[in-house]
Amino acid sequence: MTDYFQRHLGAKLLLSYLAIILVGVVVLIVASQFILPASFNRHMAGMGMMMDGMMGEQGFGSSNAMSQLYIDFRASFNEALMYAALAAMVVAIALSLYLSRGVIAPVRAMSLATQRIADGRYDERVQVHGTDELAQLAMRFNQMAEKLNQTESMRRRLIGDVSHELRTPLTAIKGSMEGLMDGVLPATNETYQQIHTEADRLNRLVDDLQELSRVEARAYQLDIRPLDVSSLVQTATKRLAPQFESKRISLDLELAPDLPRILADEDRAVQVLTNLTGNALQYTPEGGRIIISAKQIGDEVQISVCDTGIGIPPEHLAHIFDRFYRVDKSRSRQSGGGSGIGLTIARALVEAHGERIWVESAGMGQGSTFTFTLPTAK
Ligand SMILES: Nc1ncnc2c1ncn2[C@@H]1O[C@H](COP(=O)(O)OP(=O)(O)OP(=O)(O)O)[C@@H](O)[C@H]1O
Ligand SMILES: [Mg+2]
C-alpha cells in the first residue's frame, strides 16, 4: 500500500488533500470542544434575558431546557461537520482525479516516449497541449527528440559516406593486386607506384577523418595569443612553396599597412590558411595567380585567398564546406584530389575561434575567393 502511494503522484495528491481535510476537521472538533460551550452559553444567556423580559417568569433560561438545547445544537453541528467533511472529501477525490489527468497523464506519456527513444525510436514525439510549464516541457522534449533524430541520421550518413570513400581506393588496390597475381598487369615500378598512391590516399583519408572528428568534437585546446598576420601568411606560403613552383603559379600578397595583430591559435590559423591556399593551388591551372590579402574591418581582420582557377558554379557554393563535398567528384579523384574534408575542418577551426568563413565565386572558370575573419588583439 505505502509502495503504491510512493509510486503514484495521483495517490500522493489525494493523500495530501485528505490530510488537509483531516487537519481541518480535527481543528474544528477541538475548537468546538473548548469554544462552543462557552460561546453557546454566552449567546443563550443574552437571549434568555431578552425572552425573560418579553415572556415573564418561567422561561427560556431554565438550565434543563438549556442543556437539552445545547445537546441538540451540538448534534446538528456534528452532523453539519460530517457532511462538510464528506463534501470536502468528494471534492478532493475529484480534484486529484482531474489533476491526475491534467498533470500525470502528460508526464506519463513523456516517460513512455523517453523509454521508446532510449530503445532507438527517434521519431517519437509527445503531444503539446496549452502553454503551461508542462506544455513547455513537452515542447522541449520534442525539440530534444528532433535533435537526437538529426544526430542519428547524421551518424548513419557519416558511416555511409566514410565506407563509400574507403571503398574507392580499396577497390583500386584490390584490382591492381589481382591484376598482378593474374599476370594481367606487368610487375613494373609503375604498377607498384599506382598501388602505393592509392594506399597513400587511404592513409590521408583516415588522417583527415581523425582530424575532423577531433576538431568537430573540440577535443583540443585553442592557444589564443596575439599574432602577426604577415608572419602567419609567411608560414603558410613557405609550406606550399614547392607546389607554387611546380605549377608555376604566382603569389601576390596584399596585406594592408598598419594591420593590427590578431588574436588566434597560431597552429590552427596557419592550418586554415594552408588549407585554403592548398585548395587554390590545386584548383588553379598552371600559370595562374593566387592573391592572399588581409584588411581590418571593425574589430576583425579579414583574410582572403583569391585564385584565378576553375571557379565554383553557384549551385555548389552553399555546400562547399560540407563534409565529403566535391564539385566534381570524378575529376578530383583522377587528379589525385582530396576527399572533401579540408574545408569542413577549416570551417570548424574558424568557428572554434567564434569567427566566420565564406566563399565567393563568379562561376566556372572565374576563380574563387575564400575569406575568413579573426578578431584583432585589443
Ligand atoms: N579554390 C577553389 N577553387 C575551385 N574549387 C574549389 C576551391 N577550393 C575548394 N573547391 C571545391 O570544393 C571542394 C571541397 O574542398 P575541400 O578542400 O573540402 O576538399 P578537397 O580539396 O576536395 O579535399 P581535401 O579534403 O583533401 O582538402 C573541392 O573538391 C573543390 O571542388
Ligand atoms: Mg582541399
Side-chain angles (χ1 to χ4, degrees):
M1 186 70 176
T2 41
D3 197 40
Y4 180 85
F5 278 102
Q6 255 164 15
R7 293 193 322 135
H8 292 85
L9 204 53
K12 282 186 196 169
L13 269 176
L14 178 62
L15 207 62
S16 62
Y17 290 150
L18 292 182
I20 292 172
I21 293 168
L22 189 71
V23 169
V25 168
V26 167
V27 167
L28 264 179
I29 289 173
V30 170
S32 68
Q33 197 70 39
F34 292 107
I35 301 169
L36 212 57
S39 152
F40 181 84
N41 282 339
R42 200 160 10 90
H43 282 286
M44 280 301 128
M47 204 145 143
M49 260 160 16
M50 246 164 61
M51 293 301 233
D52 283 350
M54 273 160 43
M55 297 167 74
E57 284 301 277
Q58 25 119 322
F60 217 70
S62 93
S63 82
N64 251 356
M66 202 71 147
S67 66
Q68 186 52 45
L69 190 62
Y70 179 70
I71 288 165
D72 289 347
F73 169 72
R74 189 63 198 261
S76 47
F77 177 83
N78 285 347
E79 200 179 315
L81 191 62
M82 198 184 72
Y83 282 127
L86 263 177
M89 256 189 294
V90 169
V91 171
I93 291 170
L95 256 182
S96 58
L97 279 178
Y98 172 75
L99 276 177
S100 300
R101 286 195 27 210
V103 176
I104 295 155
V107 170
R108 190 168 294 157
M110 258 182 278
S111 153
L112 287 175
T114 316
Q115 184 60 46
R116 283 194 286 265
I117 285 181
D119 291 341
R121 290 176 46 189
Y122 296 98
D123 51 352
E124 192 65 38
R125 299 289 179 277
V126 291
Q127 286 189 336
V128 182
H129 299 291
T131 52
D132 61 6
E133 285 88 346
L134 269 176
Q136 283 172 22
L137 179 63
M139 218 166 63
R140 298 265 147 74
F141 179 91
N142 284 345
Q143 283 171 353
M144 183 199 71
E146 179 60 32
K147 262 265 146 50
L148 279 174
N149 203 8
Q150 282 172 5
T151 311
E152 174 62 12
S153 60
M154 247 170 66
R155 189 183 68 84
R156 282 214 195 100
R157 212 170 40 229
L158 176 64
I159 292 177
D161 286 347
V162 169
S163 21
H164 179 79
E165 295 296 326
L166 288 176
R167 190 171 297 126
T168 316
L170 275 177
T171 311
I173 292 173
K174 197 164 159 239
S176 302
M177 294 303 270
E178 280 168 3
L180 272 176
M181 289 190 300
D182 297 347
V184 183
L185 273 180
T188 57
N189 223 0
E190 197 186 340
T191 310
Y192 291 127
Q193 190 59 47
Q194 251 175 29
I195 296 174
H196 185 265
T197 308
E198 291 299 337
D200 205 37
R201 190 208 288 260
L202 259 183
N203 209 8
R204 231 175 337 126
L205 177 62
V206 172
D207 283 350
D208 282 354
L209 278 173
Q210 203 171 23
E211 173 72 0
L212 180 66
S213 89
R214 245 165 49 84
V215 168
E216 284 193 336
R218 297 270 172 105
Y220 60 91
Q221 280 247 289
L222 285 179
D223 179 16
I224 305 274
R225 44 180 95 207
L227 301 172
D228 231 27
V229 178
S230 70
S231 75
L232 213 69
V233 174
Q234 226 104 66
T235 315
T237 50
K238 214 179 274 170
R239 270 189 205 168
L240 296 165
Q243 279 102 303
F244 273 103
E245 221 158 273
S246 70
K247 277 191 95 172
R248 293 186 296 109
I249 289 176
S250 65
L251 170 69
D252 289 336
L253 299 185
E254 291 177 3
L255 308 182
D258 57 87
L259 209 55
R261 280 149 78 82
I262 52 164
L263 272 183
D265 179 312
E266 183 169 13
D267 290 343
R268 304 303 178 175
V270 168
Q271 194 179 353
V272 173
L273 197 54
T274 311
N275 222 316
L276 298 182
T277 315
N279 276 351
L281 277 164
Q282 191 172 350
Y283 302 107
T284 300
E286 280 198 21
R289 192 166 153 231
I290 292 174
I291 305 154
I292 299 181
S293 57
K295 59 179 184 235
Q296 181 182 8
I297 291 185
D299 50 6
E300 285 176 344
V301 170
Q302 285 191 356
I303 304 176
S304 298
V305 179
C306 175
D307 63 55
T308 59
I310 61 172
I312 301 161
E315 66 269 26
H316 294 283
L317 286 175
H319 308 289
I320 212 83
F321 293 96
D322 293 353
R323 188 195 291 137
F324 297 123
Y325 196 85
R326 283 156 299 199
V327 171
D328 184 347
K329 294 207 175 211
S330 57
R331 183 161 64 180
S332 78
R333 236 173 230 146
Q334 280 162 16
S335 62
S339 40
I341 299 179
L343 285 178
T344 317
I345 293 177
R347 181 178 59 182
L349 290 176
V350 171
E351 285 177 354
H353 284 83
E355 297 290 324
R356 296 158 291 134
I357 183 168
W358 66 94
V359 58
E360 291 153 293
S361 174
M364 287 289 266
Q366 309 282 310
S368 347
T369 305
F370 285 84
T371 308
F372 64 101
T373 59
L374 286 172
T376 55
K378 297 286 169 344

